[in-house]
């Protein structure tokens, strides 16, 4: 209690007495802010400066009020401070006295004050609570209006909005209640496709903050390249590899058939080419930031790839990944044989590996995140608790839980509720 605050009135509720016996239970005191309890909403507006919040509460302390709720936001140097308090009842003071004192204090600081009488606390939030993350590059008023209208159309109420990041994209999060998460996700996915923003919808709750596992595809997700094409460039067979890839995209070959056909073209390459390919791999912008931040938060991170362990094992070591799995190029007498050895990592294999990684990590599938761009990532994306299509083809965007269509992999952090300020603050610390 502040030294300037008068003692509470004897009419204030006393704490409950201790139980008389181990088996008895004391009744809790009557809530001082039930639905019919008089309350005041005190709103302060104006130019922000240090000491405003402390000054307001010092002013309110003289009236022995209880704080029911607080909300404060500062935008471009302007503060909006809202405080919900119980009406004054002690020492003969009145609501009018409090109003006059608060207005006088505000005027002395060239602030505006508004005080609204009422009863009780905020109304309870509706069932079905979700976090809606919106990424815009830029985020326009038109697209924001469309998102808000869609939330309303599903029966949802926007309880709170705050900004997660202002660059390299604008990211904002809506706390929504009153609508089922799946229904909200479906409606917003349809809307966002036509307005040029990315929207992710996840259920609210403790699981969002729990330790998780993030598993990524490699080619065109973690890295900007297609590893088979890097090898093909050294073998002088880029055109032939591209032709096989096109056949696979047309559905004339499945993944395993196309993999064997493309790898066969590498037969005879000296194994020294592996080091050259490793040096040519380009990480996607934001990849290091994403992994570094996740690891600092206690997440485990892995990769699965239809590419080759000769590259993914190097990435695992360089980036400090927990898991990595891919196909393996066979090498005999220092030469690539044009064959792969071991189990093939294909579409079904990626989903199987996600389950295996989750089991090893001790993380429920509901708390896993998968990121990928191609059709062979779809099973993995649908198996994970949150599947993120990263700059993906339309069929993948439509099937995934959410899509990110900006070239920065670390924007996935915003979908997890992590702000840019938190990322930068962590980067400023010495590990």
């Amino acid at each position: 209690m502040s030294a300037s605050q008068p003692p509470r009135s004897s009419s204030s509720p006393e704490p409950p007495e201790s139980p008389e016996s181990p088996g008895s239970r004391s009744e809790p005191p009557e809530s001082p802010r039930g639905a019919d309890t008089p309350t005041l909403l005190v709103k302060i507006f104006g130019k922000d400066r240090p000491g405003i919040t402390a000054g307001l509460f010092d002013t309110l302390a003289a009236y022995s009020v209880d704080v029911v709720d607080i909300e404060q936001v500062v935008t471009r140097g302007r503060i909006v401070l809202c405080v919900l308090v119980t009406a004054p009842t002690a020492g003969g003071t009145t609501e009018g006295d409090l109003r006059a004192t608060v207005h006088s204090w505000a005027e002395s600081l060239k602030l505006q004050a508004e005080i609204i009488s009422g009863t009780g606390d905020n109304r309870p939030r509706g069932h079905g609570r979700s976090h809606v993350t919106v990424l815009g590059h830029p985020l326009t008023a038109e697209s924001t209006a469309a998102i808000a209208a869609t939330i309303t159309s599903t029966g949802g109420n926007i309880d709170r909005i705050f900004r997660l990041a202002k660059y390299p994209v604008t990211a904002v999060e809506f706390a929504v209640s009153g609508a089922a998460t799946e229904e909200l996700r479906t409606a917003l996915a349809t809307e966002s496709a036509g307005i040029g923003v990315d929207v992710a919808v996840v259920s609210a709750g403790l699981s969002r903050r729990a330790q998780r596992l993030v598993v990524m595809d490699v080619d065109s997700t973690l890295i900007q390249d297609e590893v088979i094409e890097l090898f093909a460039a050294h073998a002088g067979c880029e055109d032939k590899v591209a032709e096989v890839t096109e056949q696979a995209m047309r559905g004339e070959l499945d993944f395993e058939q196309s993999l064997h056909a493309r790898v066969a073209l590498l037969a005879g390459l000296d194994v020294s080419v592996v080091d050259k390919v490793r040096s040519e791999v380009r990480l996607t912008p934001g990849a290091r930031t994403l992994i570094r931040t996740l690891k600092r938060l206690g997440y485990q991170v892995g990769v699965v790839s239809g590419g080759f362990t000769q590259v993914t094992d190097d990435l695992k070591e360089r980036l400090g990944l927990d898991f990595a799995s891919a196909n393996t190029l066979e090498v005999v007498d220092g030469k690539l044989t044009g064959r792969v050895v071991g189990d093939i990592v294909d579409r079904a294999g990626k989903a199987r590996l996600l389950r295996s990684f989750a089991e090893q990590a001790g993380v429920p599938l509901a708390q896993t995140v998968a990121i990928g761009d191609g059709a062979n990532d779809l099973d993995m994306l649908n198996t994970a608790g949150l599947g993120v299509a990263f700059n993906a083809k339309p069929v993948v965007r439509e099937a995934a839980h959410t899509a990110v269509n900006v070239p920065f992999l670390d924007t996935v952090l915003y979908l997890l509720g992590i702000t840019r300020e938190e990322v930068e603050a962590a980067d400023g610390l010495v590990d």
Side-chain angles (χ1 to χ4, degrees), residues 28 73 195 287 360:
V73 63
I195 60 176
Q360 294 175 60

Side-chain angles (χ1 to χ4, degrees), residues 6-322:
R8 292 293 179 94
S9 165
S10 59
S11 62
S12 299
E14 295 293 330
E17 296 181 357
S18 300
E20 295 182 1
S21 67
S24 66
R25 297 181 61 185
S26 61
E27 292 297 324
E30 184 180 348
S31 170
R33 45 181 180 270
D36 297 329
T37 301
T39 53
L40 300 175
L41 176 59
V42 181
K43 302 169 68 177
I44 304 297
F45 316 83
K47 184 177 180 181
D48 188 34
R49 73 200 74 174
I52 290 177
T53 305
L56 175 60
F57 283 100
D58 276 343
T59 303
L60 293 173
Y63 295 90
S64 298
V65 296
D66 292 330
V67 177
V68 179
D69 197 3
I70 309 171
E71 191 81 29
Q72 177 174 310
V73 63
V74 177
T75 305
R76 209 181 67 180
R78 309 293 290 185
I79 187 172
V80 178
L81 171 58
C82 296
V83 181
L84 186 64
V85 297
T86 54
T89 57
T93 58
T94 66
E95 179 182 319
D97 296 330
L98 183 148
R99 286 176 176 272
T101 303
V102 169
H103 280 290
S104 177
W105 167 81
E107 288 174 6
S108 72
L109 295 178
K110 298 183 178 178
L111 299 169
Q112 292 179 288
E114 180 182 2
I115 303 175
I116 304 172
S117 300
T119 57
D121 196 351
N122 301 317
R123 64 179 177 81
R125 295 179 64 192
H127 294 292
R129 300 180 185 180
S130 306
H131 296 286
V132 177
T133 306
V134 182
L135 308 180
H137 192 54
L139 180 62
T140 66
E142 181 181 10
S143 59
T144 306
I147 294 297
T150 302
I151 292 171
T152 301
S153 72
T154 65
N157 183 73
I158 299 171
D159 300 314
R160 184 174 299 171
I161 307 173
F162 63 94
R163 186 174 69 181
L164 294 166
K166 60 182 177 182
Y167 71 90
V169 299
T170 300
V172 296
E173 181 171 293
F174 295 73
V176 177
S177 62
T181 298
E182 287 299 327
E183 180 184 352
L184 192 60
R185 179 182 290 150
T186 300
L188 286 171
T190 302
E191 183 64 38
S192 64
I195 60 176
V197 297
D198 298 329
V199 179
V201 182
V202 297
S203 296
L206 291 176
S207 63
R208 194 183 190 211
R209 299 178 178 88
Q211 182 180 3
R212 288 190 177 191
L213 168 70
V214 176
V215 177
M216 289 175 276
D217 176 41
V218 175
D219 292 10
S220 298
T221 300
L222 177 63
I223 67 174
Q224 300 177 59
D225 312 282
E226 294 288 331
V227 170
I228 186 68
E229 295 177 1
L230 297 179
F231 277 102
H234 290 282
C237 60
E238 298 116 304
D239 292 344
K240 292 182 180 178
V241 165
E243 182 179 339
V244 175
T245 301
E246 286 297 320
Q247 287 180 286
M249 292 180 67
R250 291 195 299 266
E252 298 170 10
L253 297 173
D254 63 22
F255 176 81
E256 185 170 348
Q257 291 172 320
S258 68
L259 175 68
H260 288 304
R262 288 178 290 180
V263 170
L265 297 170
L266 307 180
L269 268 181
D270 192 90
V271 72
S272 62
V273 77
V274 169
D275 288 334
K276 296 177 182 177
V277 168
R278 287 174 175 173
S279 68
E280 293 166 353
V281 166
R282 300 167 300 163
L283 292 174
T284 298
R288 287 187 183 277
T289 300
L290 172 66
I291 295 169
R292 182 173 63 246
T293 303
L294 291 173
K295 297 293 290 181
R296 284 172 172 164
L297 291 170
Y299 286 56
Q300 297 189 58
V301 185
V303 294
V304 291
S305 176
F308 310 110
T309 57
Q310 281 83 354
V311 171
T312 57
D313 287 351
D314 179 64
L315 289 170
K316 180 182 179 183
E317 182 177 351
R318 286 166 51 196
L319 299 173
L321 302 174
D322 299 284

